[in-house]
């Protein structure tokens, strides 16, 4: 008995298979990050301890308690967005432009973590602001993404009428759309961040993806360095880039989800010994996975302008 027949007899649910793939993927990622960053983290710890020892030896009047007090001042200044270099003062994080960008990171669930409300009233308002703002943001991004898709389909239909080549035309339109989005939301912002933040190419690209995917680690945050003076249009450009970039990346991720769903259906049919021409009256008619796939086939209503 072969592997195909064994899977066919076992009738392994696709949700179980997807769960195994998901857990395996996460564990493999954990191992890779552990190997790539673990040794570097130990070196960083050793270097910090050495710098601490040298600092206490250089400044003999500074003991452990004094060092902790200085570290607390530096940490508080960093949270407030205040620079301790020189004698100049700054407005901190809570300017109008920075506050507007913070509001955008709340409703988009990016949440860098470099800035957060500290007052009780601000924390309570943040809860209710996010409670209504996150669904509103999802609805707006979904609509903007659909309009992007409509524009892409209209261009594709127009070119199909001229060339009479459906598959080649759709592939070309998708390719141009992806490349244009990559240039508009990754390459161009990378150049801007290099000029105004002083980041490398890899750091800028890394920040673009971490932001637009709403992961938001907070290790790199644009428009947040208290030692730099940013132009007034910088925050507006940031907010616009985040909004439209989220819509474009969400559309790209939806295409990826569609590809994974097709692969899942293909593998399930192969393992279950199904044929494409079989009707619904087979042994898997009551399978919840089959029911989900049937529900997914229901056409969505057309988009109205």
């Amino acid at each position: 008995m072969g592997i195909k027949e064994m899977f066919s007899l076992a009738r392994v649910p696709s949700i179980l298979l997807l769960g195994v793939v998901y857990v395996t993927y996460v564990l493999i990622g954990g191992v890779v990050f552990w190997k790539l960053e673990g040794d570097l983290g130990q070196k960083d710890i050793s270097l910090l301890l050495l710098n601490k020892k040298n600092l206490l030896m250089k400044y003999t009047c500074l003991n452990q308690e004094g060092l902790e007090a200085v570290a607390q001042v530096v940490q508080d200044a960093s949270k407030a967005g205040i620079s301790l270099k020189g004698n100049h003062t700054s407005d901190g994080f809570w300017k109008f432009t920075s506050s507007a960008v913070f509001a955008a990171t709340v409703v988009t669930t990016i949440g860098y973590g470099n800035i957060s409300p500290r007052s009780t009233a601000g924390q309570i308002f943040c809860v209710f602001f996010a409670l209504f703002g996150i669904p509103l943001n999802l609805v707006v991004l979904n609509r903007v993404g659909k309009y992007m898709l409509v524009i892409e389909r209209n261009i594709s239909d127009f070119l199909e009428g001229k060339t009479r080549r459906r598959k080649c035309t759709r592939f070309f339109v998708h390719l141009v759309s992806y490349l244009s989005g990559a240039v508009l939301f990754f390459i161009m912002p990378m150049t801007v961040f290099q000029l105004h933040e002083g980041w490398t190419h890899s750091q800028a690209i890394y920040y673009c993806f971490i932001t637009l995917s709403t992961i938001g680690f907070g290790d790199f945050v644009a428009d947040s360095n208290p030692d730099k003076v940013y132009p007034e249009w910088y925050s507006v450009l940031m907010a616009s880039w985040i909004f439209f970039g989220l819509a474009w990346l969400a559309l790209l991720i939806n295409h990826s989800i569609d590809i994974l769903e097709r692969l899942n259906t293909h593998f399930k049919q192969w393992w279950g010994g199904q044929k494409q021409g079989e009707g619904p009256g087979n042994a898997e008619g009551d399978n919840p996975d089959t029911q989900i796939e049937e529900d997914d086939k229901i056409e969505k209503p057309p988009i109205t302008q």
Side-chain angles (χ1 to χ4, degrees):
M1 182 181 295
I3 298 178
K4 180 178 178 181
E5 288 76 11
M6 292 175 61
F7 275 107
S8 178
L9 292 175
R11 298 293 185 185
V12 179
S14 62
I15 183 64
L16 178 60
L17 180 62
L18 285 175
V20 172
V21 172
Y22 177 79
V23 173
T24 304
Y25 186 79
V26 171
L27 292 179
I28 291 175
V31 171
V32 173
F33 284 123
W34 175 39
K35 293 298 182 181
L36 292 177
E37 301 293 334
D39 293 339
L40 183 61
Q42 291 298 324
K43 292 180 181 179
D44 291 340
I45 293 175
S46 301
L47 182 60
L48 285 173
L49 292 177
L50 179 61
N51 290 337
K52 173 187 173 182
K53 181 180 179 180
N54 293 334
L55 186 65
L56 292 175
M57 292 178 61
K58 182 177 181 179
Y59 302 97
T60 56
C61 60
L62 187 65
N63 55 16
Q64 179 66 31
E65 183 179 353
L67 181 62
E68 292 177 359
V70 172
Q72 186 63 45
V73 171
V74 174
Q75 184 178 5
D76 293 340
S78 177
K79 290 182 178 180
I82 299 175
S83 174
L84 296 178
K85 296 180 179 180
N87 296 321
H88 68 280
T89 58
S90 60
D91 296 331
F93 280 138
W94 294 108
K95 300 176 292 185
F96 172 72
T97 53
S98 301
S99 300
V101 172
F102 168 76
T105 62
V106 170
V107 297
T108 55
T109 69
I110 296 175
Y112 290 121
N114 66 315
I115 174 176
S116 59
R118 303 181 64 180
S119 65
T120 302
Q123 292 170 352
I124 294 175
F125 174 75
C126 184
V127 170
F128 288 98
F129 180 74
L131 186 63
F132 294 98
I134 292 174
L136 177 63
N137 177 74
L138 292 176
V139 171
V140 174
L141 287 180
N142 183 49
R143 180 56 61 88
V144 172
K146 285 183 177 179
Y147 274 110
M148 289 182 177
L149 188 58
V150 167
I151 294 174
E152 183 179 320
R153 286 177 177 173
N154 289 339
I155 295 175
S156 180
D157 292 339
F158 174 77
L159 293 178
E160 283 178 18
K162 298 292 185 180
T163 60
R164 304 296 181 184
R165 295 182 178 179
R166 178 183 175 84
K167 292 184 178 180
C168 293
T169 302
R170 287 191 178 276
F171 175 78
F172 176 75
V173 172
H174 282 308
L175 181 61
V176 172
S177 175
Y178 294 154
L179 292 178
S180 300
V183 171
L184 186 60
F185 298 114
F186 281 89
I187 305 303
M188 292 177 62
M190 177 191 68
T191 305
V192 175
F193 293 142
Q194 278 186 299
L195 293 175
H196 292 278
E197 304 292 343
W199 296 339
T200 63
H201 288 86
S202 60
Q203 290 172 341
I205 289 292
Y206 166 79
Y207 168 75
C208 289
F209 181 80
I210 294 300
T211 295
L212 297 185
S213 61
T214 70
I215 297 174
F217 288 129
D219 48 351
F220 291 94
V221 182
D223 195 22
S224 64
N225 191 342
D227 297 320
K228 293 182 178 292
V229 178
Y230 298 98
E232 293 297 329
W233 52 265
Y234 194 62
S235 296
V236 178
L237 183 65
M238 277 280 301
S240 302
W241 167 71
I242 289 176
F243 178 78
F244 290 103
L246 281 173
W248 175 79
L249 192 60
L251 189 62
L252 184 62
I253 291 176
N254 285 334
H255 280 297
S256 302
I257 292 174
D258 182 61
I259 294 174
L260 291 176
E261 289 288 351
R262 291 175 183 271
L263 289 175
N264 173 48
T265 303
H266 173 74
F267 286 133
K268 193 172 77 69
Q269 289 177 349
W270 183 80
W271 282 324
Q274 298 179 0
K275 297 180 181 179
Q276 285 186 334
E278 288 183 352
N282 52 30
E284 294 199 4
D286 297 331
N287 192 327
D289 298 321
T290 306
Q291 182 64 38
I292 292 174
E293 290 172 6
E294 292 297 328
D295 293 340
D296 289 340
K297 291 179 181 178
I298 300 176
E299 294 184 358
K300 297 180 180 180
I303 302 172
T304 56
Q305 297 288 341

